[in-house]
């Protein structure tokens, strides 16, 4: 068992939080008890395909919702979750692009080539064009499809844009980190551009409007202009609550008693987003959609603990394969749910939404073989067992190899230096470097970060490359059982080997200087022509192997743009 150091708090004070003594697996302690006398009556049968509203928030921590005991006010989310089904065994990915790619394709990262990092603004990379997307399947089923918010699945050529991947309309940002008011995004010193798009055009006229409000208003306009008799799918990918930490002053004022400035701004952003969800729900009711609607709410990854977010009492943060990075807030709210007002412990993963929603839409899944997701609607609506028994969190061959990992430590079948994680049943295995591993409480004190901020940190295990946890009994990942259960370690390593055999090469090309916004009128947008794409060979190969190719037909052109880019930046300075 690991040895822990407590800084600033005693174990007694930890217990006073109520988390360490909380048995997650006892339904009597976590499930909502239905008090509605009509609870046993079933809702009307599906007479027509339901309207689907999928709401995805960005970097919202596991602890940052009211019904998880947060100090942040989220009355709308709390009510929708309480009246629907809370998903408390729900998993996403640790960072932005992977979660979004798995939602849109129903496939693990290893099956789309996006298993390493995110898609960066200057990379000639995007969601593979051979993937049939969720909105495309819903279009086939007769749905009107709309996207509002953050794309972050690549845009280097027009074929990668949301409007070319299944959405009838799009209002939002293509990159991953923009200003909430000006919509500027800088991908390094001097590499800045505007990023708000209406369809395939730059939406210059929308600058100055706070994105959370803008996106909620757009959803209302879409609903007002559409007929509730025709099925509609709206994907609302809020920018909130990703950095930069920006919020209207009136929301920050509500949290003026919070000593920590980052937490205060972050809390304001969460509450603002909660009110945006309230407005969307109100619009569904006003325009006649609600009674035949399914609302899915999900985070995209764990919270960034150094930017106001909190995953307490889970271990780790955004970007890690600890539970704090991959266990998400999730719930489903719908009048069509047969067993409402309860908490579900069914194992659900973000890839499951693809087959689940297409099945609800009465779409055809027969022509998209090889999905990694499952139809989990019976588990959500009726309380049946989940068809899912395991989750591949990821295998990333390009991530920095753990210094102390080896093939020998992996029983000769797996190199434990490689970053990977998998859950099978109640067991979870991590190899390589899983990322920042501390337990961090909500940052409410004025002096955060300070000497107290690592409430609990491992004092041993720094030379490890294999961890095993019984997540059912130990959801906080406090007791590493890899030494006690080598049999389980070996079994899960074999599952990693199995998945790795099905992996395709990583898509992580070098950045291209031609993507600079200065070459696109000051905005981020597609820059590659078909001729360029044909000459960028090796897009699906690991970065290291591509770098060995010294000959390139457009090297002179790239050199020219590098020099031009340098001159432009020097003039700005």
């Amino acid at each position: 068992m690991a040895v822990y150091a407590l800084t600033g708090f005693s174990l007694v004070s930890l217990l006073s939080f109520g988390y360490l003594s909380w048995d997650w697996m006892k339904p009597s302690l976590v499930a909502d008890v239905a008090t509605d006398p009509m609870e046993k009556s079933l809702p009307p049968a599906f007479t027509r395909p339901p309207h689907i509203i999928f709401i995805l928030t960005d970097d919202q921590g596991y602890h940052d919702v009211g019904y998880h005991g947060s100090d942040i006010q989220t009355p709308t989310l709390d009510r929708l979750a309480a009246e629907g089904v809370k998903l408390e065994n729900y998993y996403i990915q640790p960072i932005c692009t992977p979660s979004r790619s798995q939602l849109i394709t129903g496939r693990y990262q290893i099956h789309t080539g996006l298993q390493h990092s995110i898609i960066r603004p200057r990379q000639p990379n995007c969601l593979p064009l051979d993937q049939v997307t969720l909105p495309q399947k819903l279009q086939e089923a007769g749905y009107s499809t709309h996207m509002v918010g953050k794309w972050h699945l690549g845009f280097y050529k027009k074929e990668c844009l949301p409007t070319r991947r299944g959405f009838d309309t799009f209002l939002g940002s293509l990159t991953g980190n923009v200003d909430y008011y000006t919509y500027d995004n800088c991908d390094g010193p001097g590499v800045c551009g505007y990023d708000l798009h209406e369809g395939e055009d730059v939406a210059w006229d929308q600058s100055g409007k706070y994105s959370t409000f803008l996106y909620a208003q757009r959803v209302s306009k879409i609903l007002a202009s559409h007929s509730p008799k025709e099925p509609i799918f709206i994907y609302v990918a809020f920018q909130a609550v990703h950095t930069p930490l920006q919020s209207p002053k009136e929301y920050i004022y509500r949290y003026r008693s919070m000593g920590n400035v980052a937490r205060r701004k972050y809390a304001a952003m969460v509450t603002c987003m909660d009110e945006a969800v309230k407005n969307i729900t109100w619009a569904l009711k006003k325009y006649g959609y609600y009674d035949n609607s399914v609302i899915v709410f999900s985070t995209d990854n764990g919270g960034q603990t150094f930017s106001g977010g909190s995953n307490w009492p889970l271990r780790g943060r955004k970007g890690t394969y600890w539970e704090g990075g991959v266990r998400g807030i999730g719930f489903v709210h719908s009048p069509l749910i047969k067993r409402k007002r309860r908490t579900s412990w069914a194992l659900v993963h973000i890839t499951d939404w693809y087959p689940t929603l297409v099945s609800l839409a009465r779409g055809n899944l027969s022509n998209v073989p090889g999905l990694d997701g499952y139809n989990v609607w019976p588990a959500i609506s009726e309380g049946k067992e989940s068809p899912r028994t395991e989750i591949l969190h990821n295998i990333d061959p390009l991530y920095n190899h753990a210094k102390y990992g080896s093939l020998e430590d992996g029983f000769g079948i797996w190199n434990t230096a490689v970053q990977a994680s998998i859950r099978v049943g109640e067991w979870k295995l991590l190899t390589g470097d899983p990322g920042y591993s501390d337990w961090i409480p909500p940052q409410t004190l004025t002096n955060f970060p300070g000497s107290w901020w690592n409430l609990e940190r491992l004092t041993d295990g720094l030379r490890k490359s294999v961890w095993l946890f019984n997540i059912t009994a130990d959801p906080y990942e406090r007791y590493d059982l890899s030494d006690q259960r080598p049999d389980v370690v070996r079994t899960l390593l074999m599952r990693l080997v199995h998945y790795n055999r099905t992996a395709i090469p990583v898509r992580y090309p070098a950045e291209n200087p031609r993507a600079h916004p200065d070459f696109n009128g000051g905005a981020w947008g597609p820059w590659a022509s078909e001729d360029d794409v044909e000459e960028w060979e090796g897009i699906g190969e690991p970065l290291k192997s591509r770098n060995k190719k010294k000959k390139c037909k457009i090297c002179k052109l790239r050199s020219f743009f590098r020099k031009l880019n340098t001159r432009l930046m020097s003039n700005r300075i």
Side-chain angles (χ1 to χ4, degrees):
M1 184 186 300
V3 179
Y4 307 105
L6 298 181
T7 307
F9 282 87
S10 66
L11 181 59
V12 173
S13 64
L14 278 174
L15 290 172
S16 69
F17 277 93
Y19 289 110
L20 301 186
S21 59
W22 180 16
D23 186 345
W24 282 26
M25 294 300 110
K26 291 184 178 179
S28 61
L29 296 181
V30 298
D32 292 301
V33 179
T35 56
D36 188 345
M38 300 298 292
E39 182 62 25
K40 293 184 180 180
S41 65
L42 298 179
F46 285 69
T47 57
R48 60 184 187 275
H51 308 296
I52 301 170
I53 311 299
F54 196 103
I55 300 173
L56 187 72
T57 58
D58 199 337
D59 286 9
Q60 185 178 1
Y62 181 83
H63 183 66
D64 298 327
V65 65
Y67 67 84
H68 280 173
S70 179
D71 52 349
I72 299 176
Q73 300 167 21
T74 57
T76 302
L77 300 184
D78 296 346
R79 179 179 57 80
L80 292 176
E83 295 174 357
V85 177
K86 300 174 184 175
L87 305 178
E88 291 300 334
N89 206 5
Y90 174 59
Y91 287 86
I92 64 286
Q93 295 306 109
I95 49 178
C96 299
T97 295
S99 278
R100 293 158 204 276
S101 71
Q102 296 196 24
L103 167 65
I104 294 295
T105 67
R107 287 180 165 84
Y108 289 141
Q109 295 163 250
I110 63 166
H111 296 147
T112 60
L114 300 176
Q115 54 267 58
H116 180 66
S117 191
I118 61 173
I119 294 179
R120 303 191 179 279
R122 288 178 283 175
Q123 285 183 314
N125 194 12
C126 72
L127 188 73
L129 299 179
D130 62 350
Q131 296 290 322
V132 180
T133 67
L134 171 61
Q136 286 173 334
K137 293 303 297 180
L138 293 177
Q139 281 182 332
E140 290 178 9
Y143 276 68
S144 173
T145 60
H146 307 268
M147 180 178 173
V148 180
K150 174 178 171 179
W151 177 238
H152 209 184
L153 288 174
F155 59 89
Y156 76 104
K157 58 180 181 177
K158 287 188 176 181
E159 287 75 13
C160 301
L161 297 175
T163 48
R164 307 288 180 101
R165 305 310 305 271
F167 290 104
D168 296 327
T169 68
F170 169 66
L171 173 68
S173 299
L174 299 174
T175 61
N177 183 27
V178 303
D179 187 283
Y180 282 73
Y181 291 97
T182 67
Y183 300 98
D184 290 327
N185 179 25
C186 293
D187 188 43
V191 189
C192 302
Y194 185 82
D195 184 15
L196 184 65
H197 294 74
E198 174 85 57
E200 298 182 7
D201 299 321
V202 182
W204 296 103
D205 60 321
Q206 301 292 349
S207 178
K209 300 177 181 178
Y210 187 66
S211 72
T212 303
F213 292 155
L214 176 65
Y215 295 154
Q217 290 168 0
R218 174 51 59 94
V219 174
S220 295
K221 289 181 180 179
I222 292 172
L223 293 172
S225 62
H226 186 77
S227 170
K229 295 181 180 180
E230 301 297 329
I232 190 170
F233 169 59
I234 305 180
Y235 171 37
V236 189
F238 281 115
Q239 175 187 354
V241 288
H242 196 290
T243 53
L245 300 180
Q246 297 173 310
S247 171
K249 292 182 179 179
E250 59 267 30
Y251 291 90
I252 297 177
Y253 185 75
R254 299 185 190 185
Y255 297 99
R256 60 191 179 279
S257 61
M258 280 190 178
N260 182 265
V261 175
R263 182 68 174 172
R264 186 189 313 158
K265 293 180 179 179
Y266 178 92
M269 295 167 69
V270 173
T271 296
C272 185
M273 178 272 296
D274 181 84
E275 292 195 9
V277 175
K278 178 182 178 180
N279 292 337
I280 291 172
T281 307
W282 180 83
L284 287 170
K285 294 180 179 180
K286 177 182 179 181
Y287 298 114
Y289 296 87
Y290 177 77
D291 290 340
N292 189 43
S293 67
V294 174
I295 302 172
V296 180
F297 182 90
S298 170
T299 50
D300 70 337
N301 47 246
Q304 179 52 276
T305 53
F306 297 150
S307 298
S310 175
N311 304 305
W312 181 258
L314 302 180
R315 184 177 184 176
R317 62 180 182 181
K318 171 185 177 179
T320 75
Y321 289 95
W322 304 107
E323 291 292 283
V326 298
R327 185 179 287 226
I329 301 171
F331 65 80
V332 180
H333 178 93
S334 172
L336 305 174
I337 295 175
K338 294 181 178 179
R339 293 183 56 197
K340 305 183 187 69
R341 294 182 172 88
R342 64 185 182 85
T343 295
S344 171
W345 291 97
L347 188 61
V348 178
H349 185 248
I350 194 167
T351 54
D352 297 330
W353 296 122
Y354 186 113
T356 299
L357 299 181
V358 172
S359 296
L360 280 177
R362 302 175 185 173
N364 180 17
L365 290 169
S366 63
N367 59 350
V368 280
L371 291 177
D372 294 307
Y374 295 84
N375 179 2
V376 293
W377 183 251
I380 293 172
S381 178
E382 303 172 43
K384 294 183 178 180
E385 288 188 15
S386 172
R388 176 176 290 283
T389 59
E390 63 184 51
I391 296 172
L392 175 68
H393 293 301
N394 195 27
I395 301 171
D396 186 348
L398 296 191
Y399 192 79
N400 295 331
H401 283 198
K403 184 177 180 180
Y404 298 101
S406 68
L407 187 62
E408 181 180 358
D409 289 340
F411 299 97
I413 58 176
W414 181 262
N415 182 0
T416 63
V418 175
Q419 185 193 63
S421 182
I422 188 172
R423 175 170 171 174
V424 178
E426 61 188 6
W427 295 102
K428 177 182 177 181
L429 179 78
L430 304 97
T431 69
D433 179 4
Y436 191 87
S437 64
D438 291 349
W439 294 266
I440 304 175
Q443 303 93 40
T444 56
L445 302 186
T446 305
N447 66 338
F448 178 85
S451 60
W452 74 277
W453 63 267
N454 280 335
L455 177 69
E456 199 165 350
R457 165 173 280 186
L458 287 174
T459 56
D460 67 354
L462 299 179
R463 295 174 179 267
K464 287 182 62 63
S465 62
V466 178
W467 294 262
L468 177 70
F469 300 97
N470 185 319
I471 292 299
T472 302
D474 177 27
Y476 315 124
E477 298 171 297
R478 294 179 176 276
Y479 308 113
D480 175 18
L481 302 176
S482 58
D483 292 335
Q484 292 94 315
R485 296 300 304 271
D487 57 320
V488 178
V489 171
R490 185 182 183 91
T491 298
L492 268 61
L493 288 176
M494 288 298 297
R495 293 302 295 162
L496 285 179
V497 171
H498 163 76
Y499 279 111
N500 199 44
R501 288 171 179 162
T502 69
I504 68 173
V506 179
R507 298 169 59 92
Y508 198 72
E511 295 182 346
N512 192 305
R514 290 177 58 185
H516 198 298
D518 286 355
F519 304 140
N520 191 41
W524 292 103
W527 75 87
S529 66
E530 287 301 323
D531 293 337
D532 294 329
V533 174
E534 291 179 1
E535 297 202 24
W536 289 333
E537 299 177 356
I539 191 172
E541 299 177 15
L543 184 61
K544 293 180 180 179
S545 64
R546 288 200 313 279
N547 288 342
K548 294 180 180 178
K549 297 181 179 181
K550 296 182 179 180
K551 294 183 179 181
C552 170
K553 295 181 180 180
I554 60 172
C555 286
K556 292 183 179 179
L557 183 60
R558 288 180 176 175
S559 177
F560 167 77
F561 279 110
R562 286 193 189 98
K563 292 178 181 178
L564 180 59
N565 185 31
T566 301
R567 291 181 181 178
L568 288 172
M569 287 191 292
S570 62
N571 289 337
R572 285 188 176 187
I573 296 173

